[in-house]
Amino acid sequence: STDPTSTDPTSTDSTTTDSTATDSTTTDPTATDPTAIDPTAIDPTAIDPISTDPTTGPTGTNPSTTDPSGPSSPTDPTVTPDPTTSAPVTTPDAPAITEPAPVTVPSDNVGGDGAIIVPEAPEPPVPTGAGDDPQVGDQILPGDTSGTTSQRGVATAEAPAVLDCAPNTNGGSTTFDAGEIISDAVFYNSAAMTANQVNAFIQEKGAACQGEFCLRNLRVNTPNVAADKYCAAYAGGTNETAAAIIAKVSVACRVNPQVMLVTLQKESALLTKTSVSLASYNAAWGWHCPDTGPGGTANCDPAYAGFFNQAMGMAKQWSRYVVDPLKYNYRAGQTTQILWNVVESGCGGGLVTIRNTATASLYNYTPYQPNAASLAAYPGVGDRCSTYGNRNFFFLFQKYFGVTGGGAPAYVVVNGVSVTIPAGPHVAAAAAGQVITAPNEAVAKGIAAGLASVGLPNVWGGGSSNGPADQGCSRGGGSSNSCQGTVGFDCSGLTGYVMSQAGFATGTNSASQRTSGTAVPWQQALAGDIIGYNGHVAIYLGKIKGVDYLLEAPTVGMYVQVRPVYLTNNGVPVDSVLHRYWR
């Protein structure tokens, strides 16, 4: 276990694996009131730069996010242009896998831990354009040979280990929902990342690690694995990278490689760990490490040690929960008691209605739910009844890849026409907790929906047809970071979504939104009006302590944010009027 005062409780989740599986295997700093300024007279040296002509596509610039401590310097980049000036390309989302018919199992096959155990012959162990602000650049990395029989360092449910869990999650728009932690569509999207993208991601996360056994340097000789009812065949190879293995097992077993990466991090922190040895991979995914050790600690079976054993076993385990749901404790559609912590803790649990197969799978693998203290403390330590595995999976997935498709909308306080701006790393400090006034209750509802999206990543073309956040497939057409497994908004997707939630329709790109609606002079600006820039749009929120604020999805590599109104974009002044769609 680790010292919670010095580490992140996003644990090597000893609470995990399913012992039932018998198979192996701003911020314009001027804060100037635009009502008192002739936008055509703005000094371009005092602007937020970075828009490009939409005909040239995304710039690839990866600007930093809004500094939560306050406005950034005048040189901070802000927005990219609306890429939807060309004809959109329709690319359908990758479909979720079809769940096979369940297998009937005798009801008396129940193990001492309450898990249903069905004997079967064990398998031998295997030795970040076309939308408004489209590309989250993913990067790749290299491996280690087969594992030894030594056991991983174990963390109990009360004492989690180090993880990459800064509190400013990219997917801050949702809160944990025990009934649907992640959607089936996301969990089983095996095409969410290519091998190159997985490699790029490992490279980025493990950049600080030095040595031959770092995940990014690991090379593994892998065997051929025959197809079975859970997974397609795996073609072995020589000196395969960790990224190649993760991508291949994900496709073979029909699971999202992002799920594999997040599970790896929450189990062993190997994405970011800087001190790594060959033995570090013995329980990389915590597979075959049930909580049957002293005091509910992990009891890892050395027969399943090693990076490839763990990767193939983990991917196949996710498939088992789909193919043979009746073999396991938790299933979609059931309402059941899920513990807060190990039985020995005496903490008990609470009833959960499990709404989908992916969430049931997470509970089968890690059979605990986070209590209120665990959720409130993220990424820190809760109380003695807190567990962290499923909590960390949810928040880490959002941090790395955007919304999980599960969770619940973030809580934004709305009282009639009054809306409270939430606090967070993507909200200017002076605006956090402040109350703004909408012109009517419908617009208040729309603004609240937009504020609940603060922290979502910018996705080129995201939020098609004024709908909710999505991968940008229909408008982004696969350009930049669209249709790559990340869910979010681009600038016009966000403004269109806010207006649609208020009951009003807009155009589907920034150009159409800036030429429609009713033109309103800045002196008459009200919350809910759309601000137009060169290739960009945002939602006006009103004045806070004399400073005008906006809500926007700025550019790829950044996140939906609240910041002061700025007066130019790429040297072109803000539109001299606002664009009003509500009446």
Side-chain angles (χ1 to χ4, degrees), residues 217-286:
N217 298 324
L218 192 65
R219 294 293 186 276
V220 183
N221 295 332
T222 61
N224 294 325
V225 179
D228 57 22
K229 67 177 181 178
Y230 305 113
C231 301
Y234 183 98
T238 302
N239 290 330
E240 290 198 286
T241 65
I245 293 169
I246 290 171
K248 287 169 67 176
V249 300
S250 297
V251 170
C253 300
R254 302 177 300 277
V255 64
N256 189 334
Q258 296 168 340
V259 169
M260 294 292 292
L261 289 166
V262 171
T263 305
L264 178 66
Q265 182 68 1
K266 70 105 168 171
E267 288 290 333
S268 62
L270 280 166
L271 290 177
T272 55
K273 187 174 287 185
T274 56
S275 178
V276 184
S277 68
L278 192 61
S280 301
Y281 297 97
N282 289 341
W285 274 272

Side-chain angles (χ1 to χ4, degrees), residues 268-407:
S268 62
L270 280 166
L271 290 177
T272 55
K273 187 174 287 185
T274 56
S275 178
V276 184
S277 68
L278 192 61
S280 301
Y281 297 97
N282 289 341
W285 274 272
W287 188 59
H288 268 271
C289 288
D291 293 327
T292 56
T297 57
N299 184 19
C300 300
D301 186 336
Y304 306 103
F307 184 82
F308 182 70
N309 286 348
Q310 287 281 304
M312 189 74 208
M314 180 75 264
K316 183 171 287 191
Q317 193 61 51
W318 293 133
S319 182
R320 283 194 184 93
Y321 295 138
V322 176
V323 177
D324 295 332
L326 297 184
K327 291 184 178 182
Y328 302 99
N329 260 358
Y330 304 111
R331 295 181 291 280
Q334 72 175 180
T335 299
T336 186
Q337 182 90 346
I338 296 181
L339 297 177
W340 306 119
N341 205 314
V342 294
V343 174
E344 293 84 350
S345 70
C347 291
L351 288 176
V352 174
T353 298
I354 301 172
R355 299 201 293 278
N356 65 339
T357 299
T359 299
S361 298
L362 289 175
Y363 284 127
N364 282 316
Y365 199 68
T366 303
Y368 312 108
Q369 61 172 312
N371 64 358
S374 174
L375 293 172
Y378 182 83
V381 177
D383 59 23
R384 75 171 195 88
C385 289
S386 293
T387 55
Y388 307 96
N390 284 317
R391 178 198 76 167
N392 291 342
F393 179 93
F394 177 75
F395 287 110
L396 272 176
F397 195 100
Q398 291 192 114
K399 175 182 175 66
Y400 291 156
F401 305 115
V403 292
T404 67

